[in-house]
Amino acid sequence: MATFNINAVDRRIQYTSTGQTAFNFSFQVNASSELQVYINDVLKSETTHYSVSLNTDGTGTVTFGSATTAGEIITIIGDQPLSRTTVFQTGQTNNPTTLETEFDNVLIRQQQLKEITDRSIQLKVTTPRTVTGSGTSGPLEFPYDATINNNKDKVIAYDSSGTSLILGPTTAGLTTLSAIATEVQALAAITSNITTAAGIASNITTVAGLSSQITTLGSISGLSTLAANSANVTTAATNISSINTASTNITAIQNASTNATNAAASAAAASASAASAASSSGGGAVKITSSDAAPDVLNTKLLVSGGLTKAVGNAGGNETLTLTAQAAEVYGFETFFNPSTLVKTVTVVSVSGSNKYFIDGVQQDTLELFEGNTYVFNYPSGHPFKFSTTSNGTHASGSEYTTGVTHNSSTQVTIVVATDAPTLYYYCSSHSNMGGQANTPKPSDNSVKVTTTDGGDDNISSTAYANFDDVIYAASGMTWSLQTNGDLRVTI
């Protein structure tokens, strides 16, 4: 029986082995049977694997029969049985040693329970939740499905009200999401574009129904840029719909592209002449001249179809084609970058004891701030959000970057990314090592402008024409055919 005071120590001790055999413990037990000894996660047996020597104060030493392996975790923990065999009888003289032992055992079991609860998952002491009741009060219980398989690989999550725990998604699903984290971040950066696309779903469906015509147009030089600009193409769909019926002619022109390349210089002159003629609603002459043996001067920038009256002639050995347009139409396409305004949510989370910025939920995310775009950052007032050309900003002897930057309030800053802006770094002006890098790349064109002659009512200047990325001409009634000898023939 115990005849000692009970120390206020944890009833559990761990060692990382260096290859030794003996390990001391400073909590007190009445007998060696009140101990459990583990190597890593394996429970060992007294006499089989180790022996115990007890001191007079109940502390002692565990000694293994053979040396442990360096790096193994040795755990010694108190395990007094939750039972008692002492019985006190009415009128019986009670031995003080027996009473002392019973009191000691009660305290030992309390220490044993405290050690277990200290290692359990608990709500922090400041949590505004009582141990009784329901909803925002009462215990926070772990979920468990009676069908075992429904629990496999599930994470634990709060429910939609934030008051109870539920079975969440599988770890496999989270692993899949983690594998596409880069793609998810890319989508997050273009949320406004996604919203715009959702608003024109019916137009996108219409375009999908024209896939065969789009496939034909897709291989024409310069038109590939239109694929990324469906919203603007939809705006011009009414005027350009007549092009769909000309797919046979377009295909023929594609097949003649090799010959067209050889006559590129002549084609440029021919295109300029065509643009001038097509600007008149009353018609005009379009004269195309080639010094080649075959009239192959058309390139993929030119489509003229039908209703034209003049014929092919020959002047000085050169093939001359003179055409009179009947209310011809010219479509000029110019691609450009249309800047956007994007809003970023900045939060602060303690990571391993140090505060870090999280941008839209990503710790110290490397940002892509495109030139010309406007970015609005909403942040906590206690952590002023600023930019610098030096990593960690003023904490690393750098200075604040202010070009295009406006501090709207103590919780919001706006930056309009300047042309040729340097690589930036965002940082907290009050605390070090919270921020990350912000690249400032040049954006790709994301919009297209369509200019037409409006059935001949409007003119297109030569300067405007020269700036077009692509030009299409349309009329009616002409057919094109590629001859076996490689000549391109037009029939009126």
Side-chain angles (χ1 to χ4, degrees):
M1 297 295 184
T3 58
F4 43 75
N5 296 329
I6 302 301
N7 296 333
V9 296
D10 292 336
R11 298 191 62 76
R12 174 177 172 269
I13 189 168
Q14 276 190 326
Y15 294 90
T16 299
S17 172
T18 59
Q20 73 268 41
T21 58
F23 300 88
N24 299 326
F25 58 92
S26 58
F27 58 86
Q28 295 155 303
V29 296
N30 296 311
S32 61
S33 61
E34 296 179 4
L35 291 172
Q36 285 187 338
V37 179
Y38 290 81
I39 295 182
N40 294 330
D41 290 329
V42 179
L43 178 63
K44 298 300 180 178
S45 301
E46 187 179 4
T47 69
T48 302
H49 302 108
Y50 65 88
S51 61
V52 179
S53 60
L54 293 178
N55 302 318
T56 56
D57 65 350
T59 62
T61 302
V62 171
T63 303
F64 286 92
S66 58
T68 56
T69 302
E72 289 182 325
I73 304 300
I74 311 301
T75 304
I76 306 173
I77 186 169
D79 185 40
Q80 187 181 83
L82 296 178
S83 63
R84 58 185 293 265
T85 58
T86 304
V87 178
F88 297 101
Q89 301 291 337
T90 302
Q92 176 184 346
T93 300
N94 295 318
N95 188 323
T97 301
T98 303
L99 289 173
E100 181 72 15
T101 298
E102 289 300 326
F103 288 140
D104 287 348
N105 287 345
V106 170
L107 182 56
I108 287 173
R109 293 184 185 112
Q110 289 175 335
Q111 288 181 338
Q112 195 166 289
L113 290 172
K114 181 179 183 301
E115 193 281 327
I116 293 173
T117 57
D118 284 348
R119 284 186 289 112
S120 63
I121 298 176
Q122 306 174 56
L123 295 176
K124 62 183 181 180
V125 295
T126 57
T127 301
R129 187 182 182 105
T130 62
V131 296
T132 60
S134 60
T136 56
S137 300
L140 197 62
E141 299 174 335
F142 267 62
Y144 184 82
D145 197 298
T147 303
I148 304 299
N149 285 340
N150 291 343
N151 298 300
K152 287 184 177 180
D153 297 323
K154 291 291 183 67
V155 299
I156 305 299
Y158 280 102
D159 64 7
S160 59
S161 64
T163 59
S164 300
L165 297 178
I166 60 173
L167 291 174
T170 64
T171 55
L174 294 177
T175 299
T176 299
L177 183 61
S178 175
I180 58 171
T182 301
E183 290 81 356
V184 172
Q185 292 173 18
L187 289 175
I190 58 169
T191 53
S192 60
N193 295 335
I194 295 173
T195 301
T196 300
I200 59 169
S202 60
N203 295 335
I204 294 174
T205 300
T206 300
V207 172
L210 301 172
S211 60
S212 60
Q213 292 92 330
I214 293 173
T215 298
T216 301
L217 289 172
S219 58
I220 299 177
S221 173
L223 289 182
S224 59
T225 56
L226 296 180
N229 301 284
S230 60
N232 298 293
V233 174
T234 300
T235 303
T238 302
N239 293 331
I240 305 178
S241 61
S242 61
I243 297 174
N244 293 334
T245 60
S247 61
T248 301
N249 300 334
I250 295 173
T251 301
I253 294 173
Q254 288 178 247
N255 294 335
S257 61
T258 300
N259 293 334
T261 300
N262 296 334
S266 298
S271 297
S273 299
S276 174
S279 65
S280 172
S281 62
V286 180
K287 184 174 182 179
I288 304 171
T289 303
S290 170
S291 60
D292 295 339
D296 55 3
V297 299
L298 297 179
N299 66 13
T300 56
K301 270 195 170 184
L302 178 60
L303 168 61
V304 181
S305 60
L308 309 178
T309 59
K310 296 296 182 178
V312 176
N314 187 290
N318 294 332
E319 294 293 336
T320 301
L321 174 64
T322 303
L323 308 174
T324 301
Q326 301 293 318
E329 187 72 69
V330 177
Y331 298 93
F333 301 92
E334 297 176 78
T335 57
F336 64 96
F337 173 69
N338 186 23
S340 302
T341 297
L342 302 173
V343 179
K344 301 287 186 180
T345 299
V346 182
T347 55
V348 175
V349 178
S350 178
V351 179
S352 300
S354 299
N355 285 334
K356 304 295 181 183
Y357 276 137
F358 279 64
I359 311 297
D360 290 335
V362 179
Q363 179 182 341
Q364 296 171 292
D365 190 19
T366 298
L367 304 177
E368 300 295 325
L369 307 182
F370 288 99
E371 292 182 5
N373 273 353
T374 299
Y375 297 88
V376 180
F377 294 85
N378 295 309
Y379 59 88
S381 59
H383 299 279
F385 191 90
K386 296 189 177 183
F387 296 95
S388 176
T389 56
T390 302
S391 180
N392 208 21
T394 55
H395 304 291
S397 302
S399 59
E400 182 183 1
Y401 178 83
T402 58
T403 303
V405 177
T406 302
H407 290 282
N408 306 314
S409 68
S410 62
T411 60
Q412 187 182 83
V413 63
T414 298
I415 180 171
V416 180
V417 184
T419 301
D420 297 324
T423 297
L424 300 177
Y425 300 88
Y426 59 92
Y427 68 101
C428 174
S429 61
S430 299
H431 308 94
S432 180
N433 297 319
M434 285 182 55
Q437 183 170 325
N439 299 321
T440 58
K442 294 183 181 296
S444 300
D445 291 341
N446 62 1
S447 299
V448 63
K449 176 183 177 183
V450 181
T451 303
T452 78
T453 52
D454 194 17
D457 290 340
D458 296 330
N459 291 328
I460 296 177
S461 68
S462 59
T463 300
Y465 181 84
N467 289 331
F468 290 155
D469 294 298
D470 236 312
V471 180
I472 293 179
Y473 305 91
S476 61
M478 288 183 62
T479 59
W480 301 80
S481 60
L482 184 65
Q483 305 304 297
T484 56
N485 63 356
D487 293 347
L488 183 64
R489 174 176 295 177
V490 59
T491 302
I492 303 174

